[in-house]
Amino acid sequence: MILLFLGIIIYIIAVQDILKTTLSMQGGGWLTNNFSKMLWKICFYLSGENGASKFLGKSGYIILTGIIIFWVFLLWTSLSLLIYSDPLSIVSSSDKTPVLGFEKLYFAGYILSTLGNGEYIPGSDFWRLITNIFSFTGLVLLTMSVTYFVPLLQAVIEQQKLAVQISGYGETPQQMLLNTYDGQYYQGLTANASELTLALIKHTQNHKAYPVIHYFHNDDKEYNIILELSKLYKCLVILENLLSEEHSPKESELRSLNVAFDNYFKVITQITNTKKSNNLNITGINTDQLIKNGLAETGKELPKNIQGLQIFYKLVKNDGWNWENVI
């Protein structure tokens, strides 16, 4: 009776978690999310916590494969517990004698894979019904996995496109400003920021729908999405706080990008449980290049405890990089 109860509970939890992960578009199920985080921590540890590790660069695909195996394991375990709860649940098709031990585990496996060969059959109408339910569950799992992973991998491509787009502005926040300033507007950052803002919003919503894409790590620091977004946000902080009045953009020019980053911070902290850092030294920004080019004034300081920078500091560290990589 205990095995029957456990099997039912595990089945309900597994199906609910799979459905929430693949259909809700509001983030993965609790089990899937925590399993993904556990696999990421293992990959992170094995890579030596080094963002440039080639192994860490493969972590996303390892985690994706692990999720499939995890789902199969849950369903296989639940069906196995159910049929082990009754000695007469499964019988041999040839002589109708009850099967024991490994044969039941084997039966559970091939029913889930819908590859039953008729060697063993359910022992009663009740177990025929259970077999049908799990057979359909296995079929639906395969279909839903495909429909889930295709847009997920597309979201990974969009993530990489955003990183490349931002890297095109410059290698550092200071270079981003110098490269985009035409004497009146910061092209691509303020005057024509709609494309960049929409790309960031799309990236954020993809994170919300497919939290696992956060673990698709790029070991090339020139195109790593966390580093590039950190540089872009640092650039935004400079625009708002450190430029001379003559060269400062209007607040309205930065509003859409600020809203997009606020939304990003809300989603990413929920997904990763990232808390802002209390390191007060991370807000320091070198503006020598900007002062030399007449865009910034000496003596200007940043407000203390800029929350966005503190969140990015933690994200960068948790991705295996140093804050110096943001420059």
Side-chain angles (χ1 to χ4, degrees):
M1 194 64 182
I2 295 178
L3 294 180
L4 182 65
F5 178 76
L6 284 176
I8 293 173
I9 293 299
I10 293 175
Y11 177 79
I12 293 173
I13 292 175
V15 170
Q16 186 273 338
D17 196 78
I18 294 171
L19 290 176
K20 186 174 186 343
T21 300
T22 57
L23 298 180
S24 71
M25 303 298 291
Q26 298 295 319
W30 185 86
L31 284 176
T32 300
N33 283 344
N34 283 278
F35 181 73
S36 301
K37 290 176 185 177
M38 181 192 70
L39 288 183
W40 166 257
K41 290 180 180 178
I42 293 173
C43 292
F44 194 57
Y45 174 78
L46 293 176
S47 69
E49 302 183 1
N50 179 11
S53 167
K54 297 296 183 183
F55 175 74
L56 195 60
K58 297 179 175 59
S59 60
Y61 302 100
I62 293 173
I63 293 171
L64 206 56
T65 303
I67 288 174
I68 286 288
I69 295 173
F70 180 59
W71 288 350
V72 171
F73 171 77
L74 289 176
L75 293 175
W76 198 343
T77 299
S78 66
L79 179 55
S80 297
L81 289 173
L82 287 174
I83 61 179
Y84 274 113
S85 68
D86 182 0
L88 303 178
S89 58
I90 307 299
V91 298
S92 173
S93 60
S94 58
D95 56 14
K96 302 300 186 294
T97 57
V99 299
L100 303 172
F102 179 78
E103 287 81 1
K104 287 189 174 182
L105 190 64
Y106 167 65
F107 175 84
Y110 78 56
I111 286 300
L112 281 175
S113 62
T114 66
L115 296 175
N117 56 19
E119 184 178 359
Y120 304 112
I121 59 175
S124 66
D125 289 341
F126 173 77
W127 292 111
R128 291 187 183 93
L129 177 62
I130 295 297
T131 299
N132 285 336
I133 291 173
F134 275 87
S135 182
F136 279 116
T137 301
L139 178 62
V140 171
L141 170 64
L142 177 61
T143 304
M144 292 177 65
S145 296
V146 173
T147 57
Y148 174 71
F149 291 138
V150 169
L152 186 152
L153 293 175
Q154 181 62 40
V156 173
I157 295 173
E158 294 293 333
Q159 173 176 272
Q160 192 56 36
K161 284 171 59 179
L162 177 59
V164 173
Q165 179 182 355
I166 297 173
S167 70
Y169 291 126
E171 294 181 3
T172 69
Q174 294 80 14
Q175 289 180 8
M176 287 181 180
L177 292 176
L178 294 172
N179 292 342
T180 58
Y181 191 50
D182 64 1
Q184 184 177 6
Y185 299 110
Y186 296 89
Q187 296 293 340
L189 295 176
T190 58
N192 300 313
S194 58
E195 181 182 354
L196 184 59
T197 300
L198 289 173
L200 179 55
I201 291 173
K202 185 175 183 179
H203 172 68
T204 301
Q205 294 307 307
N206 283 339
H207 257 71
K208 188 174 183 179
Y210 313 108
V212 72
I213 69 171
H214 181 71
Y215 305 117
F216 277 79
H217 173 90
N218 191 335
D219 53 84
D220 184 351
K221 69 178 181 180
E222 293 184 5
Y223 302 111
N224 180 277
I225 187 63
I226 296 296
L227 292 179
E228 294 305 319
L229 285 176
S230 299
K231 293 175 186 178
L232 179 62
Y233 185 75
K234 206 170 184 179
C235 182
L236 186 61
V237 169
I238 294 174
L239 283 168
E240 292 181 310
N241 298 281
L242 297 179
L243 297 186
S244 60
E245 184 176 350
E246 177 186 358
H247 299 288
S248 296
K250 297 178 181 179
E251 182 182 350
S252 60
E253 295 176 23
L254 303 176
R255 185 175 297 120
S256 63
L257 204 51
N258 271 316
V259 171
F261 267 113
D262 287 343
N263 186 34
Y264 173 79
F265 290 136
K266 181 179 180 180
V267 171
I268 201 68
T269 52
Q270 288 176 348
I271 291 172
T272 63
N273 293 324
T274 299
K275 307 297 181 183
K276 67 177 184 178
S277 171
N278 292 322
N279 187 339
L280 300 182
N281 297 322
I282 65 173
T283 56
I285 295 178
N286 183 0
T287 57
D288 290 347
Q289 283 183 293
L290 300 177
I291 293 173
K292 182 179 179 180
N293 286 270
L295 298 183
E297 299 175 349
T298 58
K300 280 197 170 186
E301 296 182 356
L302 290 174
K304 291 185 178 180
N305 304 330
I306 297 180
Q307 186 172 353
L309 285 177
Q310 293 175 334
I311 292 174
F312 269 124
Y313 178 83
K314 293 291 289 186
L315 289 173
V316 167
K317 297 291 287 185
N318 292 341
D319 205 45
W321 306 101
N322 295 317
W323 187 243
E324 288 74 19
N325 292 122
V326 180
I327 313 179

